[in-house]
Amino acid sequence: MDAFRIVGGHPLRGSVRISGSKNAALPILFSSLLGGSFSLSNIPCLRDVKTTLLLLEQLGIRISVAEETPGLRDPSPGSDSSWSDRLEISEGETSSFEAPYDLVRTMRASVLCLGPLLARRKKARVSLPGGCLIGARPIDMHLKAFERMGATITIHHGYIDAETDGLEGCEISLPYPTVTGTENIMMAAVLAKGKTTVTNAAEEPEIVDLADFLVARGARITGAGSSTIRIEGVDRLDPVHFSVMFDRIEAGTFLVGAALLGDEVTIREVNPAPLSSILDVLMAMGAEAESRPGQITMSAIRNPRGVSIRTLPYPGFPTDMQAQILPLMAIAKGPSTVVETVFENRFTHVMEMNRMGANIEIHGSQAMVRGGSRLEGAAVMASDLRASAGLVLAGLIAEGETEVRRVYHIDRGYEAIEKKLEALGARIKRIQEELP
Ligand code: EPU
């Protein structure tokens, strides 16, 4: 298994290109099950993207690497030479409709095939995703919505079997603004008969990107990015070329890196608007950011101040950035608190950070960070994607050597993070974990 060896305390300097968004690319790729053809660029080279492509191929989608466009992608560190971020995608011959356990268990987002399969093939068999380390993560809201749209759903032997004679538009009021739930419903409604209205919809920028893509293909969607989304079904979707939005969580992770150790770090190919809740928290801790079109520059905060934050659905502070902000809170002057409201068990990184010298207590859904700690390098274990990123940032600021183990989690959602950090001046190497 791979691990990262980090020698902390080295300043970060220079610029880094932020990759395409994982959480926008995945639903857009799954929407290929709605039929037709299209091409995409700015697809990040990630394990979750590769898992999605594998699943889509099993479901009869044809995927090929589009002709390289010179200059489209700079050869900056972090790019995988065998990867092209341009893909051409079209519906193939098979009409398979099963997402098997072996793929779904490695990536919960596989559930995003349910809506488009039901809409286009009228049938779907998808392994029920289990709970995961960060929470139980049921998908009851997705399933109830499909039932309201006219699907029959049964669960047997760990699989969801869904069938319909044809989905029909209806009014769906979500009890919670679920992100993939909103995306799944939106994709199903695009080919359903009549109008669908989703209230209390999630407002994440990745939902807007999916809607923009579908609208460019001829779908009729209004209101994405607000809490009410209206979709009027169409018969088919048109070909299009679309470039996926930047990854705001990767951008936020590099901004925290800059706030910890930056000597003028610029993140490129970003747009500040979707980052505002992250920037607000960093500013409240003392950061100064300079925004120019497509880029943001930030340096280390001299004397970071403690803050209190609460993770919330967009536009609130993202749960996906909670682990990364903790090392900054750990060294800040004065106490900080984090209330995690989205997932019930998303503090597994805290024990590992405490082993590095942080002083963080967990009380239910609240983390109380004492502040003023000096972090020291240690061997630590990554337990999920964002937790791993938090531990990498802790390693960068810690004194001495840190080994972050099980970094396969981070490869799910960060494109070659160690190469990008190394290019900025960090001492970080991917190594083979030594097994006892
Ligand atoms: N929930 C239910 N029932 C449902 C759906 C959700 O109870 O039917 C609960 C969940 O258990 C959770 C809360 O609602 O407590 C929010 O879940 P949501 O459905 O919004 O999360 P998700 O769609 O499964 C996406 C991202 C996550 C991100 C969350 C919250 C993708 C592929 N995943 O997950 O990203 O944390 O929204 O913003 O978009 C990550 O990238 O590391 C990641 C975990």
Side-chain angles (χ1 to χ4, degrees):
M1 258 186 271
D2 288 0
F4 287 155
R5 185 166 291 154
I6 303 167
V7 178
H10 292 274
L12 304 178
R13 191 175 296 128
S15 82
V16 59
R17 174 190 179 274
I18 299 303
S19 301
S21 158
K22 167 176 88 76
N23 289 348
L26 298 184
I28 289 174
L29 287 168
F30 277 110
S31 78
S32 59
L33 294 165
L34 293 169
S37 61
F38 54 90
S39 64
L40 296 173
S41 54
N42 210 26
I43 299 291
C45 179
L46 303 172
R47 200 153 63 88
D48 275 9
V49 167
K50 292 177 184 176
T51 305
T52 302
L53 298 181
L54 201 66
L55 176 52
L56 289 174
E57 277 175 344
Q58 288 188 10
L59 289 166
I61 300 298
R62 288 205 196 106
I63 299 154
S64 63
V65 173
E67 220 171 275
E68 217 44 80
T69 307
L72 179 79
R73 178 176 175 71
D74 67 8
S76 61
S79 59
D80 170 347
S81 56
S82 64
W83 180 261
S84 160
D85 63 0
R86 268 176 82 92
L87 299 174
E88 272 177 8
I89 296 179
S90 60
E91 199 179 25
E93 295 297 309
T94 60
S95 52
S96 153
F97 49 82
E98 180 168 330
Y101 173 69
D102 279 344
L103 285 176
V104 177
R105 79 184 166 85
T106 64
M107 193 188 72
R108 298 180 51 85
S110 312
V111 75
L112 283 167
C113 68
L114 198 48
L117 277 177
L118 262 178
R120 173 81 172 161
R121 300 186 189 171
K122 302 198 168 33
K123 210 169 169 167
R125 183 157 204 270
V126 179
S127 171
L128 192 62
C132 74
L133 209 67
I134 63 175
R137 303 185 75 180
I139 55 159
D140 53 311
M141 296 179 215
H142 305 227
L143 301 184
K144 279 196 188 111
F146 296 138
E147 281 177 335
R148 275 187 69 79
M149 295 176 83
T152 307
I153 295 186
T154 49
I155 296 177
H156 290 299
H157 304 292
Y159 274 81
I160 304 158
D161 281 300
E163 263 186 276
T164 178
D165 294 334
L167 294 180
E168 296 203 7
C170 64
E171 306 227 329
I172 295 165
S173 174
L174 290 171
Y176 184 92
T178 156
V179 175
T180 47
T182 302
E183 292 163 348
N184 232 343
I185 297 165
M186 201 157 82
M187 289 190 280
V190 155
L191 294 185
K193 207 167 135 203
K195 286 186 191 159
T196 301
T197 305
V198 188
T199 52
N200 200 25
E203 300 177 24
E204 268 66 6
E206 294 75 17
I207 289 170
V208 178
D209 215 42
L210 171 66
D212 286 349
F213 165 72
L214 292 169
V215 166
R217 296 198 66 197
R220 296 208 188 123
I221 303 171
T222 55
S226 77
S227 61
T228 304
I229 303 180
R230 293 191 171 81
I231 307 125
E232 202 176 328
V234 295
D235 292 337
R236 61 178 172 77
L237 296 171
D238 304 325
V240 78
H241 174 76
F242 190 80
S243 178
V244 172
M245 71 173 284
F246 78 98
D247 196 305
R248 66 192 165 99
I249 304 301
E250 188 198 16
T253 303
F254 277 94
L255 284 176
V256 176
L260 285 168
L261 287 156
D263 176 10
E264 290 213 355
V265 171
T266 299
I267 57 167
R268 291 185 281 117
E269 295 188 36
V270 298
N271 159 16
L275 294 169
S276 55
S277 65
I278 300 169
L279 285 168
D280 286 351
V281 169
L282 291 174
M283 311 278 216
M285 296 183 85
E288 285 173 26
E290 190 191 324
S291 295
R292 267 163 293 156
Q295 58 187 56
I296 303 173
T297 302
M298 191 178 277
S299 292
I301 308 176
R302 282 233 182 94
N303 292 303
R305 298 184 286 270
V307 285
S308 290
I309 61 170
R310 178 178 279 270
T311 67
L312 286 168
Y314 191 84
F317 187 86
T319 172
D320 288 347
M321 276 301 299
Q322 176 255 103
Q324 299 90 315
I325 201 93
L326 279 175
L328 188 57
M329 291 175 160
I331 63 162
K333 191 158 178 272
S336 297
T337 54
V338 177
V339 180
E340 170 60 59
T341 76
V342 181
F343 292 110
E344 61 272 28
N345 188 28
R346 213 177 193 182
F347 284 127
T348 51
H349 39 279
V350 164
M351 289 309 149
E352 297 300 272
M353 288 182 190
N354 282 349
R355 292 183 52 247
M356 296 177 74
N359 187 339
I360 309 172
E361 280 177 26
I362 304 294
H363 298 283
S365 61
Q366 189 162 334
M368 304 187 53
V369 189
R370 171 72 64 85
S373 301
R374 275 171 66 90
L375 301 188
E376 293 174 355
V380 289
M381 190 92 85
S383 52
D384 75 56
L385 165 57
R386 307 303 171 186
S388 332
L391 292 173
V392 167
L393 291 171
L396 292 179
I397 192 74
E399 192 193 309
E401 198 172 281
T402 294
E403 196 169 303
V404 182
R405 298 190 176 159
R406 301 207 176 163
V407 297
Y408 59 84
H409 291 292
I410 214 166
D411 294 333
R412 289 187 44 207
Y414 286 87
E415 200 172 33
I417 190 171
E418 80 281 20
K419 290 187 188 157
K420 290 188 176 186
L421 285 169
E422 202 181 9
L424 290 175
R427 301 283 161 86
I428 176 169
K429 284 268 173 287
R430 185 178 287 260
I431 56 163
Q432 278 292 306
E433 196 176 303
E434 281 168 29
L435 295 172

